[in-house]
Amino acid sequence: MNSVHIAVVGAGIVGVQTAWQLRRRGHRVVVVSPDVGEGASWAAAGMLAPVSEVQFGQERLYPLMMRAREEYPALIEDLERATTRPHGYRENGMVLLGWDAADRRALDDRAAVQRGHGMEVRELTGRGLRRAEPALNPRLAGGYAAPEDQQVDPRLLIGALTDALGRELDPAAFPEAGPPAEWVRGKVTRIDAEGERWRLTVSAGGDEPPPRGDESSPPGDESTLAGDESSPTGDDSSLTADRVLVAAGLSHGEIAGVTERLPLDLRPVHGDVLRLRLTPGQLLPGEAHLIGATVRATVRGRQVYLVPREDGGLVVGASVREDGLAGVSAGGVQELLDDAVAVLPAVKDMELVEMTARARPGTPDDVPCLGRVPGAEGVVVSTGYSRHGILLAPLGARLAAELLTDHPLGDRDAALLAGMDPARFTSAQAAPSTPSLEGAPA
């Protein structure tokens, strides 16, 4: 397909990764958003854990999660060729632990499901766990290792992606790449057909994002539209594009025009996440962190995870709330800290540096929505990634890019897209089938 101009609405992890996929393929990209990575992506811990994140009753997610994890190494390799910015990707594995005998039995039941779907988990005895992770509470009842589950720092990853999108790329490394992306600070309020193109109405400006230090920063400070295709319309401006990706998360329903043909049943799934850092004297000589692997534990039936960062930080999360409270829940913080200390007693001596809450866009079946808008084939919707947005982003980005550029789909990708059809909740749409882990490669 010849180079086209594509507008990406939304600059969370899904929107930014899709913009990168499109630029790599040679297309001209403009990203339109009030901020960059300030929504659910800002709070996310970044576990790339399709095995550890298995939940009963969510079998339709398993193939998506397993496939998405396969996409990460290529993404990281590309970024390392494009920019020197850190991305926070670590292959440090995951351990799944139970606090007591009942929690351990629950892990055993889950392990049976994981193995039944071809996922690798290895049993850990208490002695083996203490040898591998001596800082963990010796009272833990053991569990399993998921060595193929990894992690990434979403804030660093978005910073690396925005840097790669905005810089000139080495033509030897990226011979087909399009020009640096344009960035528009504003909120899209409607999308309308204009001949064979699409006009986006943008409410200019937007709240300034909070300072990020060196972790990640927006690609510029534009508060008006970029390029020569915009035109002022009172307090709003507009731009036109050949194709449009709508990755606006929970704001999808606030966009008028052609997207009204595809109403989505999205709900806010709030989560509280804590960030801590080591204090002087907590490590022994030669130690880099209290724990080496990412830990996901069941403590008296509650879930808690502890994600060690290379800089000595620790991310603890995450509550799952649908109570409508947009801010941080005091009860959620208490439970997270209680459970984290039960698993890793040294947490009580760390410094609590941040408490964050964000709403993630969830669907009725917790499967994302990815597909074309009916009657508006040049507009693709990608949202509803709920708790798995960081993991699923590279898969969603690649599939969205292929839809936007009319790239032929292999059988496996076609099956995955069929399961994510945004129209599946309408009365005229048949219930989607479960995508298979098998099938021809894309």
Side-chain angles (χ1 to χ4, degrees):
M1 182 179 186
N2 294 330
S3 175
V4 295
H5 185 203
I6 303 176
V8 174
V9 180
I13 192 68
V14 173
V16 173
Q17 285 204 35
T18 309
W20 172 244
Q21 283 278 348
L22 293 166
R23 187 190 176 193
R24 284 184 68 258
R25 296 169 186 234
H27 302 289
R28 178 185 167 200
V29 180
V30 57
V31 183
V32 189
S33 181
D35 49 51
V36 180
E38 297 294 334
S41 303
W42 184 248
M47 293 191 301
L48 311 178
V51 177
S52 308
E53 289 283 284
V54 159
Q55 300 290 329
F56 295 110
Q58 293 190 340
E59 289 79 6
R60 292 184 55 239
L61 271 171
Y62 303 169
L64 296 174
M65 295 163 69
M66 295 293 288
R67 178 65 163 161
R69 186 181 61 186
E70 297 172 7
E71 310 256 339
Y72 255 96
L75 169 66
I76 298 304
E77 182 181 349
D78 266 359
L79 284 178
E80 289 178 344
R81 290 187 297 142
T83 175
T84 58
R85 290 282 292 268
H87 45 65
Y89 178 73
R90 296 185 66 195
E91 295 184 341
N92 65 323
M94 178 90 68
V95 293
L96 314 176
L97 306 176
W99 169 251
D100 57 22
D103 293 328
R104 174 58 193 264
R105 286 193 295 272
L107 290 181
D108 293 341
D109 292 341
R110 184 171 299 178
V113 174
Q114 291 160 335
R115 288 169 170 161
H117 284 81
M119 303 174 187
E120 181 184 3
V121 289
R122 304 171 186 168
E123 188 167 6
L124 285 172
T125 63
R127 179 179 300 176
L129 178 61
R130 288 190 290 273
R131 184 167 55 248
E133 299 287 353
L136 294 177
N137 194 327
R139 288 187 55 195
L140 289 162
Y144 295 85
E148 294 184 0
D149 282 358
Q150 315 300 345
Q151 63 150 299
V152 71
D153 187 329
R155 298 180 181 183
L156 294 179
L157 180 61
I158 287 182
L161 284 160
T162 54
D163 186 65
L165 279 166
R167 66 167 54 243
E168 295 288 346
L169 298 175
D170 180 358
F174 298 96
E176 299 179 355
E182 300 170 276
W183 297 85
V184 173
R185 179 68 55 77
K187 183 175 182 179
V188 173
T189 57
R190 70 177 298 122
I191 302 170
D192 296 294
E194 189 171 272
E196 296 184 355
R197 307 191 79 205
W198 306 96
R199 180 164 293 278
L200 287 69
T201 302
V202 183
S203 177
D207 296 335
E208 289 296 317
R212 297 185 178 184
D214 293 331
E215 279 193 302
S216 180
S217 58
D221 194 29
E222 299 88 352
S223 59
T224 58
L225 298 179
D228 57 7
E229 295 187 348
S230 60
S231 59
T233 56
D235 291 336
D236 294 338
S237 297
S238 64
L239 63 83
T240 57
D242 299 310
R243 305 286 171 89
V244 181
L245 173 76
V246 183
L250 288 166
S251 298
H252 174 88
E254 300 172 14
I255 302 174
V258 297
T259 55
E260 293 177 283
R261 303 174 189 176
L262 188 63
L264 300 179
D265 187 6
L266 299 175
R267 72 189 194 281
V269 181
H270 292 89
D272 306 301
V273 178
L274 312 179
R275 283 174 168 81
L276 303 93
R277 64 181 169 216
L278 295 165
T279 54
Q282 281 199 276
L283 297 181
L284 297 174
E287 287 185 330
H289 208 293
L290 293 169
I291 51 176
T294 297
V295 174
R296 183 182 182 94
T298 304
V299 181
R300 303 180 187 92
R302 295 197 301 251
Q303 301 294 312
V304 65
Y305 57 72
L306 298 88
V307 187
R309 298 294 196 218
E310 283 189 347
D311 64 359
L314 184 73
V315 181
V316 176
S319 62
V320 179
R321 299 185 285 105
E322 299 191 38
D323 54 9
L325 175 64
V328 177
S329 163
V333 171
Q334 180 186 15
E335 289 183 356
L336 288 174
L337 286 175
D338 286 347
D339 295 343
V341 170
V343 174
L344 181 64
V347 164
K348 65 180 178 294
D349 297 318
M350 299 183 75
E351 180 183 0
L352 178 59
V353 295
E354 183 182 319
M355 298 180 289
T356 309
R358 290 290 191 274
R360 300 156 288 197
T363 63
D365 58 5
D366 289 323
V367 174
C369 291
L370 175 55
R372 295 185 174 98
V373 173
E377 301 303 300
V379 180
V380 170
V381 169
S382 184
T383 188
Y385 289 82
S386 191
R387 297 175 52 251
H388 305 296
I390 306 301
L391 169 61
L392 296 178
L395 175 65
R398 181 177 60 80
L399 293 178
E402 292 179 355
L403 289 177
L404 287 160
T405 58
D406 301 322
H407 190 276
L409 295 172
D411 292 342
R412 189 181 189 187
D413 285 345
L416 294 176
L417 274 171
M420 293 187 281
D421 185 350
R424 66 186 181 272
F425 302 118
T426 65
S427 58
Q429 182 76 12
S433 60
T434 300
S436 172
L437 283 169
E438 305 299 327

